[in-house]
Amino acid sequence: DNAILDLNNGLDIPISWDIHSYQGNATKWLKFAYSLKARLHIHLGEYSKALNAARNGILALDGSEDFEFLYGGISGENTNPWHEFSVNRSGYMRADNSNYIDLVFNRLEQDSTNNDTARASYYYTGVGYKDYNTTENGAFGPSSSLAGFKAAETYLIMAEALLMDGNNVDALSNLNLAR
C-alpha cells in the first residue's frame, strides 16, 4: 500500500537502478503494484478488494505493461539465470518425464490441427524435447526475458473475484480475455 501511495502521490524517487524490467516507468510500476495487491487479496479470499486492485493493474493485452525480467546475455553479468544454470551445469535440469511434454504430445496425437510443436520447440530441444532450449531464440536463451506478472494473470484474478461474487457473465468475459 505504501508503494502505491508513493507512486500515486508522484513521489520523486529515482528508479535508475531499474534496468531489468520497466526502466524507471513509474506508471507501469504502479500498475504492477496494483496487480500484486490483487494477487494478495485473491489468495486471502478478499474478492472485492482483489477486484478493485486488479482494475488498476496490468491490463494491456499486448504485453506492453507486463512485468518482465530483462537480460542482456553477457555471461556472468546479466544473463538469463535459467540459461546460465543450464549451460554451466549441463544435465542438472532436463524435461525428462515432464507433464508438460506429455500433455503437448498427447494433444498432438489427438488433434492434427494443433500447433503445439512450435510451442514445445520454443521451450525444449533434443530427441523427445528433453533438453531446455538455451539457443538465442529459445525460452532459456542468454537474453530471453522471464515473465514476472502478465496481464493474463490480472484478468484471471478478476474472473475469479467476479465468479465468487456471482457475476458469471463478467467472470467469463475476463477469463476469455486471459486466453
Side-chain angles (χ1 to χ4, degrees):
D1 283 338
N2 288 341
I4 290 172
L5 287 173
D6 288 345
L7 289 165
N8 270 327
N9 291 329
L11 186 62
D12 190 20
I13 300 174
I15 314 177
S16 58
W17 54 266
D18 176 28
I19 60 170
H20 296 297
S21 54
Y22 288 141
Q23 280 117 28
N25 186 319
T27 301
K28 290 182 180 180
W29 273 107
L30 181 61
K31 289 176 180 288
F32 176 51
Y34 273 113
S35 286
L36 283 176
K37 184 175 181 176
R39 181 192 285 168
L40 171 67
H41 286 303
I42 206 76
H43 286 301
L44 295 174
E46 299 170 344
Y47 301 110
S48 63
K49 289 180 180 181
L51 184 59
N52 289 334
R55 286 181 172 147
N56 293 302
I58 298 169
L59 298 172
L61 292 170
D62 64 0
S64 62
E65 297 173 353
D66 291 351
F67 181 84
E68 293 186 310
F69 296 96
L70 305 174
Y71 301 100
I74 300 171
S75 183
E77 190 172 313
N78 63 358
T79 304
N80 174 315
W82 290 105
H83 177 271
E84 197 78 7
F85 188 88
S86 295
V87 170
N88 290 335
R89 297 183 181 188
S90 180
Y92 272 51
M93 293 189 312
R94 293 177 47 92
D96 296 293
N97 302 315
S98 165
N99 289 332
Y100 173 76
I101 294 297
D102 292 342
L103 286 171
V104 168
F105 287 102
N106 284 338
R107 282 187 60 189
L108 287 172
E109 291 171 7
Q110 295 169 10
D111 179 6
S112 62
T113 63
N114 179 334
N115 190 22
D116 277 350
T117 303
R119 184 180 307 178
S121 297
Y122 175 68
Y123 290 100
Y124 306 103
T125 62
V127 176
Y129 295 99
K130 299 301 181 189
D131 297 309
Y132 290 99
N133 187 348
T134 58
T135 65
E136 188 60 45
N137 295 320
F140 306 100
S143 58
S144 296
S145 63
L146 294 175
F149 208 112
K150 292 185 165 281
E153 183 175 352
T154 306
Y155 283 103
L156 290 171
I157 289 169
M158 289 193 289
E160 181 178 346
L162 289 161
L163 180 68
M164 297 307 288
D165 192 39
N167 187 340
N168 296 355
V169 172
D170 287 343
L172 181 59
S173 176
N174 279 278
L175 176 64
N176 287 332
L177 287 169
R179 291 183 184 188

